Amino acid sequence: MWWVKLFPTVASLPEYIFFDNNCRMLRHLEASPSPETDHLTRKALVVDVFHHKNKHKQNDEHCAVKCNPALFPDLRDGEGWRFNSSACEQQNKWIVKFAGILHEMREERYDFLLDEVMDIRNEKRRAELFEKGKCPYNLSSM
Protein backbone atom coordinates (compact mmCIF):
# COMPACT_ATOMS: atom_id res chain seq x y z
CA MET A 1 0.00 0.00 0.00
CA TRP A 2 3.01 2.29 0.47
CA TRP A 3 3.68 2.04 -3.25
CA VAL A 4 0.04 2.88 -4.00
CA LYS A 5 0.39 6.05 -1.91
CA LEU A 6 3.71 6.92 -3.52
CA PHE A 7 2.57 6.08 -7.06
CA PRO A 8 -1.22 6.53 -7.16
CA THR A 9 -1.53 6.47 -10.98
CA VAL A 10 0.25 4.99 -14.00
CA ALA A 11 1.47 8.49 -14.89
CA SER A 12 3.14 8.85 -11.47
CA LEU A 13 5.15 5.64 -11.85
CA PRO A 14 8.78 5.69 -12.94
CA GLU A 15 9.58 3.48 -15.92
CA TYR A 16 11.54 1.07 -13.67
CA ILE A 17 11.14 0.34 -9.98
CA PHE A 18 14.17 -1.26 -8.32
CA PHE A 19 13.50 -3.24 -5.16
CA ASP A 20 15.46 -6.26 -4.00
CA ASN A 21 12.25 -8.15 -3.29
CA ASN A 22 10.46 -7.28 -6.53
CA CYS A 23 10.13 -10.94 -7.48
CA ARG A 24 7.94 -11.58 -4.46
CA MET A 25 6.22 -8.21 -4.85
CA LEU A 26 5.28 -8.98 -8.44
CA ARG A 27 4.08 -12.48 -7.52
CA HIS A 28 1.91 -10.94 -4.80
CA LEU A 29 0.47 -8.28 -7.12
CA GLU A 30 -0.28 -10.88 -9.79
CA ALA A 31 -1.83 -13.32 -7.31
CA SER A 32 -4.12 -10.74 -5.72
CA PRO A 33 -5.05 -8.21 -8.39
CA SER A 34 -7.03 -5.19 -7.28
CA PRO A 35 -8.02 -1.87 -8.84
CA GLU A 36 -5.75 -0.08 -6.34
CA THR A 37 -2.61 -2.00 -7.32
CA ASP A 38 -3.28 -2.96 -10.95
CA HIS A 39 -1.23 -0.08 -12.35
CA LEU A 40 1.90 -1.21 -10.46
CA THR A 41 2.29 -4.25 -12.71
CA ARG A 42 2.33 -2.08 -15.85
CA LYS A 43 5.92 -0.96 -15.31
CA ALA A 44 9.15 -2.91 -14.89
CA LEU A 45 9.66 -4.21 -11.35
CA VAL A 46 13.39 -4.93 -11.43
CA VAL A 47 15.75 -6.40 -8.85
CA ASP A 48 19.25 -5.15 -8.12
CA VAL A 49 21.91 -6.59 -10.45
CA PHE A 50 23.92 -8.09 -7.57
CA HIS A 51 20.75 -9.44 -5.99
CA HIS A 52 19.75 -11.15 -9.23
CA LYS A 53 23.16 -12.73 -9.79
CA ASN A 54 23.78 -13.88 -6.23
CA LYS A 55 20.55 -14.17 -4.27
CA HIS A 56 18.30 -16.06 -6.65
CA LYS A 57 17.92 -19.73 -7.25
CA GLN A 58 18.84 -20.70 -10.78
CA ASN A 59 15.38 -22.23 -11.21
CA ASP A 60 13.46 -19.06 -10.25
CA GLU A 61 11.98 -18.69 -13.72
CA HIS A 62 9.44 -16.04 -12.70
CA CYS A 63 12.18 -13.66 -11.58
CA ALA A 64 14.45 -14.51 -14.50
CA VAL A 65 11.67 -13.72 -16.99
CA LYS A 66 10.11 -10.68 -15.32
CA CYS A 67 12.53 -8.99 -12.88
CA ASN A 68 16.01 -9.56 -14.32
CA PRO A 69 17.58 -6.15 -15.04
CA ALA A 70 19.41 -7.60 -18.04
CA LEU A 71 16.04 -7.92 -19.83
CA PHE A 72 15.71 -4.15 -20.11
CA PRO A 73 18.12 -2.63 -22.67
CA ASP A 74 17.36 0.92 -21.48
CA LEU A 75 19.14 0.10 -18.22
CA ARG A 76 22.38 -0.69 -20.07
CA ASP A 77 25.01 1.78 -21.20
CA GLY A 78 27.22 -0.20 -23.54
CA GLU A 79 28.74 -2.93 -21.40
CA GLY A 80 27.82 -1.21 -18.11
CA TRP A 81 24.71 -0.10 -16.30
CA ARG A 82 23.17 3.39 -16.44
CA PHE A 83 22.03 3.13 -12.85
CA ASN A 84 24.12 1.78 -9.99
CA SER A 85 21.43 -0.19 -8.19
CA SER A 86 24.02 -1.83 -5.94
CA ALA A 87 25.16 1.56 -4.64
CA CYS A 88 21.55 2.45 -3.89
CA GLU A 89 21.12 -0.86 -2.09
CA GLN A 90 24.21 -0.13 0.05
CA GLN A 91 22.96 3.39 0.81
CA ASN A 92 19.55 2.06 1.85
CA LYS A 93 21.14 -0.51 4.12
CA TRP A 94 23.16 2.27 5.76
CA ILE A 95 20.08 4.51 6.19
CA VAL A 96 18.26 1.75 8.10
CA LYS A 97 20.66 2.41 10.98
CA PHE A 98 18.82 5.72 11.53
CA ALA A 99 15.33 4.20 11.47
CA GLY A 100 14.78 4.47 15.22
CA ILE A 101 15.65 8.18 15.26
CA LEU A 102 13.81 9.03 12.04
CA HIS A 103 10.65 7.15 12.92
CA GLU A 104 9.66 9.65 15.60
CA MET A 105 10.46 12.83 13.65
CA ARG A 106 8.15 15.24 11.91
CA GLU A 107 8.50 15.26 8.13
CA GLU A 108 10.54 18.47 7.80
CA ARG A 109 13.07 17.36 10.46
CA TYR A 110 13.24 13.90 8.91
CA ASP A 111 13.99 15.36 5.47
CA PHE A 112 16.58 17.79 6.85
CA LEU A 113 18.44 15.24 8.97
CA LEU A 114 18.47 12.59 6.29
CA ASP A 115 19.67 15.08 3.67
CA GLU A 116 22.49 16.38 5.89
CA VAL A 117 23.62 12.97 7.10
CA MET A 118 23.65 11.58 3.56
CA ASP A 119 25.63 14.59 2.29
CA ILE A 120 28.24 14.06 5.02
CA ARG A 121 28.45 10.32 4.33
CA ASN A 122 28.72 10.87 0.56
CA GLU A 123 31.47 13.44 0.97
CA LYS A 124 33.40 11.07 3.24
CA ARG A 125 32.90 8.23 0.76
CA ARG A 126 34.08 10.40 -2.16
CA ALA A 127 37.25 11.28 -0.22
CA GLU A 128 37.89 7.58 0.47
CA LEU A 129 37.46 6.76 -3.21
CA PHE A 130 39.79 9.59 -4.30
CA GLU A 131 42.43 8.23 -1.91
CA LYS A 132 42.12 4.85 -3.64
CA GLY A 133 42.68 6.47 -7.04
CA LYS A 134 39.03 6.28 -8.10
CA CYS A 135 37.28 9.21 -9.72
CA PRO A 136 33.79 9.61 -8.26
CA TYR A 137 31.76 12.59 -9.32
CA ASN A 138 28.67 14.39 -8.18
CA LEU A 139 25.98 14.77 -10.85
CA SER A 140 24.94 18.15 -9.43
CA SER A 141 28.44 19.51 -10.11
CA MET A 142 28.36 18.56 -13.81
Side-chain angles (χ1 to χ4, degrees), residues 112-123:
F112 175 78
L113 178 68
L114 207 53
D115 184 53
E116 293 301 310
V117 169
M118 287 174 66
D119 281 349
I120 292 167
R121 179 179 186 270
N122 288 340
E123 191 54 47

Side-chain angles (χ1 to χ4, degrees), residues 16 69-77 82:
Y16 303 95
L71 297 173
F72 305 96
D74 290 349
L75 298 176
R76 305 286 299 187
D77 184 20
R82 291 184 184 276

Side-chain angles (χ1 to χ4, degrees), residues 85-99:
S85 60
S86 295
C88 292
E89 192 70 26
Q90 292 167 11
Q91 185 83 343
N92 288 339
K93 188 171 181 150
W94 177 80
I95 290 170
V96 168
K97 296 175 186 177
F98 294 91

Side-chain angles (χ1 to χ4, degrees), residues 7 13 20 22-24 33-34 36 38 46 56 61 64 68-69 73-74 79 89 95-97 101 111 113 129:
F7 307 117
L13 281 165
D20 63 354
N22 262 341
C23 296
R24 285 191 185 145
S34 78
E36 297 150 330
D38 180 55
V46 187
H56 279 82
E61 192 172 322
N68 181 354
D74 290 349
E79 295 298 313
E89 192 70 26
I95 290 170
V96 168
K97 296 175 186 177
I101 297 168
D111 289 345
L113 178 68
L129 290 169

Side-chain angles (χ1 to χ4, degrees), residues 57-74:
K57 296 176 184 168
Q58 295 288 21
N59 63 353
D60 188 346
E61 192 172 322
H62 184 267
C63 189
V65 171
K66 296 190 174 184
C67 301
N68 181 354
L71 297 173
F72 305 96
D74 290 349

